Amino acid sequence: MKQICTFSLTTLFVVFVSLTVFGQNFQMNGTAKAGVACTTGNSFQLTANSGNQIGSVWRTARLNLNYSFEVQFSGYFGTADAGADGITFALQSVGPSALGTAGIGIGMQGITPSVTVEFDTYDNAAPGADIANDHIAIFKNGIIGSPVFGAVSARTGGQNIEDGTFYPIRIVWNSSTKTMQVYFNGALRATYSENFANTVFSNNPLVYWGYTASTGGATNQQEVCDVNFFYDNDQDGVFDNTTDLDDDNDGILDTDENGGVDPFADVNSNGIPNYIDPSFAGFVDSN
């Protein structure tokens, strides 16, 4: 990440008067826009290859930390090995307009409460927080310099990730063990356990999820591509919103329990899927 000490007038405008665009159930803020290097599926450019950029993208429907989930996407970190600053995957309860600071802030600094997985491409030599290799760390409440996990190299051999490659990334949450795992380029790189709903979000399991990125004096074009989200409510290894027709494993099809309505729809438009929404009376049971 690149430490910056001054902000241009343009940067101040982006931070305080961020452009907001709605599309595909995601909200884009700051310098974020539809994908450029990647244009398929849910794809977003968070920063252009320019200085002092800050972008965020948040899913407008919240997820529930009481249920297991997996997020899959590809990360594009640009082509300049000396560039900055990196991309984050994050959970936060501030709202879909949340936008942190540029440079070393990597778009998440100051957003609290939050949990952040950073894919950091710049070494600020911060003790305990940075290493020379492009790396992964986990931190809470927008406190960049105090990771609860890491830092570890993003790639197993410590190689550069700012090489124009679309790297496959998986974020896996196990609600039974309260464990988050981070896979980068097919390899497990981080495992961390904590009951975030209790310790970070004041016993509220409903949180927004999405991405941030920033640049400072050093820059890169940074994007997330083909974003996909999956629940595994009964933890049977079959994603509920793809092929699992009985997501609570009680022998009753989800559509039967829900009166024929898609359990992952949001009938009353309150940002909570039907099957975990106590204000939606369509289900026979709570799942």
Side-chain angles (χ1 to χ4, degrees), residues 10 21 26-27 89 98 102 104 111 130 135 141 167 172 180 189 199 202 207 218 240 249 277-278 287:
T10 300
V21 181
F26 289 86
Q27 179 172 327
F89 169 84
I104 194 172
I111 298 178
D130 273 323
H135 55 274
N141 296 324
Y167 285 100
V172 180
M180 177 176 285
R189 303 302 295 144
T199 61
S202 301
V207 296
D240 303 341
N249 207 25
D277 187 352
N287 294 315

Side-chain angles (χ1 to χ4, degrees), residues 116-223:
T116 303
V117 179
E118 68 165 2
F119 304 91
D120 191 333
T121 58
Y122 194 89
D123 179 14
N124 283 287
D130 273 323
I131 59 176
N133 295 340
D134 297 334
H135 55 274
I136 295 171
I138 300 173
F139 55 87
K140 299 186 294 184
N141 296 324
I143 304 174
I144 307 300
S146 300
V148 295
F149 175 91
V152 298
S153 296
R155 296 177 65 182
T156 54
Q159 303 96 322
N160 172 43
I161 65 174
E162 300 155 284
D163 59 357
T165 299
F166 294 90
Y167 285 100
I169 298 169
R170 296 168 56 212
I171 309 293
V172 180
W173 171 252
N174 185 309
S175 61
S176 294
T177 62
K178 311 302 181 188
T179 299
M180 177 176 285
Q181 293 181 308
V182 181
Y183 292 82
F184 190 93
N185 203 31
L188 176 61
R189 303 302 295 144
T191 299
Y192 180 75
S193 297
E194 184 173 340
N195 189 346
F196 294 131
N198 291 348
T199 61
V200 176
F201 298 109
S202 301
N203 298 311
N204 182 5
L206 298 176
V207 296
Y208 296 94
W209 64 273
Y211 305 90
T212 71
S214 68
T215 64
T219 67
N220 254 323
Q221 179 180 340
Q222 300 172 118
E223 305 198 12

